[in-house]
Amino acid sequence: MKKITDFFWFCSGAHVDTLKRYPTEHNKYVGIGATIFFTALFASLSGGYAMYFVFAGNTLAVMFAFLFGIIWGLAIFNMDRYIVSSISKSGTTNQQILQATPRILLAIMIGIVISRPLELKIFDKEIRQKLKTSYLNGQRSKIDTLNKTFANKYVSELQKTADFKLEKDSLEKDINRSRYILNQEVFGDKTNQTSGITGYGTYAKQKESLVVQKEQRLQTLRTELAGMETFFARRKDLDGLSDQRMFSGKQLDSLASVAGFADRNWALGQLSFREDGTRDLDNYLAISFIGFLFILFECLPVFVKLMSNKGPYDYALQNVDETYIYKSEKTKDEDFAVTDGVQDTRIFTEIDKQKQIVSRSSQRDLERYDWD
């Protein structure tokens, strides 16, 4: 238990040896340290989950995700620890708030970064469904675009084929009607289009000749249509249109499973909107509240440090800082004094040396001087 407490004190950025002397401050810094630790843990899970989708499909994806998650968690832990430990309780409330403002902004950014990958995991089922719908609509749009391009490219051929089909349909109906009239003529049924004479006479032969002509034209049309269909099939193969199919259920599941981080992030954003483009308030609030929760969780150690009263540990820490500052000033004075003494010694030594040189030089000059 003691080791766990010391660990949380370390996480809070507190000076452990100093904090041990003030039991009333222990719980506060255990709470701050635990919050920082679990924030780093969530950051590790978040970063690892995000990196897993970056390397999705790779056999080493899990190892890369685990390694990055550890590194990311340690980075967030170090940053949070610095943010909290850098807030000094020695100033006034306004000074502390001003000092903490950039740290709170940094904590908000960290909270947003941490929360996004975890939101992707929480709404994984809804994201998969949104991705399936998106992929299906995208494939449908792609096929429609290819069909429109194909139709614009072969507009005259398609129009000619449509005319042939209309003529064929009309001719088939006309042939059936003409055959009925021919049967009436042969069997002697009297109408305004038959003679009423039974047998295969002149009128029957005329009507049969007309039916044969129409059937020959129908056969020609069928041959033309078959040739056009062969032409279109070949052109669709060349243009890649024949290979395009709507995705099956298994294909959609596979595409949603290997979707990258960007696609999943886009799908998460789209969950806040309905199909008609209006805001889906339920999903929007759910996603927003989760993000706000992690932002609050990230800012909580800073708020606790700001809201807490200045305790004995803070005074002791201030005294320790002042003591070290005082020692630093005295060390500086000592260094100055030593430097000045050494410099003075060097100057005096140099002066003596120069005096001796001048004295000896003068003595030699006197010895060589011709006094006569």
Side-chain angles (χ1 to χ4, degrees):
M1 186 67 181
K2 184 179 180 298
K3 291 183 178 180
I4 296 176
T5 302
D6 291 345
F7 174 72
F8 285 143
W9 286 346
F10 168 77
C11 293
S12 68
H15 193 280
V16 177
D17 292 335
T18 304
L19 183 59
K20 285 181 178 180
R21 299 199 297 265
Y22 304 98
T24 57
E25 298 283 86
H26 290 182
N27 289 336
K28 178 173 72 175
Y29 283 91
V30 166
I32 294 175
T35 304
I36 293 175
F37 171 75
F38 285 109
T39 301
L41 181 61
F42 282 127
S44 181
L45 295 174
S46 174
Y49 183 73
M51 190 56 60
Y52 175 77
F53 286 102
V54 174
F55 293 98
N58 193 314
T59 55
L60 300 177
V62 175
M63 188 187 72
F64 285 140
F66 179 79
L67 181 62
F68 180 81
I70 295 296
I71 297 174
W72 180 245
L74 291 175
I76 297 299
F77 171 78
N78 180 66
M79 202 174 301
D80 286 344
R81 188 171 179 270
Y82 167 74
I83 289 173
V84 174
S85 62
S86 62
I87 298 176
S88 175
K89 300 293 291 182
S90 59
T92 63
T93 301
N94 291 334
Q95 289 175 339
Q96 292 180 38
I97 293 175
L98 184 63
Q99 184 187 31
T101 298
R103 292 163 175 79
I104 292 175
L105 295 177
L106 180 60
I108 291 173
M109 293 301 298
I110 294 173
I112 294 173
V113 172
I114 291 175
S115 65
R116 199 61 174 180
L118 294 178
E119 289 173 354
L120 293 177
K121 182 59 179 176
I122 293 172
F123 294 96
D124 181 68
K125 183 179 179 181
E126 292 78 6
I127 288 173
R128 286 175 178 269
Q129 189 60 41
K130 180 64 71 173
L131 285 174
K132 290 178 184 179
T133 303
S134 174
Y135 292 149
L136 198 61
N137 291 337
Q139 183 68 3
R140 184 182 293 110
S141 177
K142 180 180 179 181
I143 292 175
D144 291 342
T145 301
L146 289 175
N147 284 327
K148 288 179 181 179
T149 303
F150 186 85
N152 293 331
K153 187 176 181 180
Y154 302 103
V155 60
S156 60
E157 290 84 352
L158 289 171
Q159 183 61 46
K160 184 178 179 181
T161 302
D163 294 339
F164 283 164
K165 287 182 178 180
L166 287 175
E167 184 180 358
K168 182 178 79 70
D169 293 339
S170 177
L171 195 57
E172 286 175 346
K173 293 179 181 179
D174 191 25
I175 289 174
N176 290 333
R177 186 169 59 254
S178 297
R179 284 188 176 279
Y180 179 73
I181 294 173
L182 175 60
N183 290 334
Q184 286 181 322
E185 179 69 35
V186 171
F187 290 105
D189 295 336
K190 177 63 177 175
T191 65
N192 57 353
Q193 294 181 338
T194 58
S195 61
I197 302 174
T198 303
Y200 196 75
T202 303
Y203 293 108
K205 291 180 180 180
Q206 291 177 351
K207 288 179 171 50
E208 184 182 24
S209 176
L210 185 61
V211 170
V212 171
Q213 292 177 4
K214 291 179 179 180
E215 288 179 342
Q216 290 175 349
R217 177 56 183 169
L218 179 61
Q219 185 61 38
T220 301
L221 289 175
R222 287 174 176 172
T223 303
E224 291 287 343
L225 286 173
M228 295 301 293
E229 289 177 358
T230 302
F231 168 78
F232 287 134
R234 186 169 61 253
R235 298 313 304 178
K236 286 181 178 180
D237 289 338
L238 293 176
D239 294 345
L241 188 59
S242 299
D243 298 332
Q244 299 299 323
R245 298 287 187 276
M246 294 302 295
F247 293 133
S248 63
K250 289 184 177 180
Q251 288 176 319
L252 289 173
D253 290 335
S254 177
L255 289 172
S257 298
V258 299
F261 185 83
D263 286 349
R264 297 177 67 83
N265 185 58
W266 171 86
L268 179 61
Q270 292 300 309
L271 290 178
S272 299
F273 299 93
R274 298 188 180 91
E275 295 294 336
D276 57 1
T278 59
R279 177 77 72 179
D280 189 336
L281 190 59
D282 293 337
N283 286 342
Y284 175 75
L285 291 177
I287 296 172
S288 300
F289 284 155
I290 292 174
F292 292 151
L293 177 63
F294 280 100
I295 292 173
L296 177 62
F297 195 71
E298 177 67 27
C299 297
L300 193 59
V302 181
F303 291 150
V304 171
K305 191 73 176 289
L306 286 176
M307 291 185 298
S308 61
N309 296 325
K310 188 175 181 179
Y313 168 75
D314 298 307
Y315 285 104
L317 195 62
Q318 184 178 350
N319 293 336
V320 170
D321 290 339
E322 291 176 356
T323 300
Y324 281 115
I325 292 173
Y326 181 77
K327 287 182 179 179
S328 176
E329 292 292 335
K330 289 301 180 181
T331 302
K332 182 182 72 173
D333 293 340
E334 179 184 350
D335 292 339
F336 283 170
V338 171
T339 301
D340 291 341
V342 171
Q343 187 66 20
D344 290 341
T345 302
R346 287 177 179 173
I347 292 172
F348 294 146
T349 302
E350 184 66 24
I351 291 173
D352 291 339
K353 184 174 69 174
Q354 294 297 328
K355 284 181 178 181
Q356 292 177 12
I357 292 172
V358 171
S359 177
R360 291 176 181 177
S361 177
S362 299
Q363 187 176 357
R364 285 194 300 269
D365 290 341
L366 288 173
E367 291 175 352
R368 291 194 299 265
Y369 185 71
D370 186 4
W371 295 100
D372 295 336

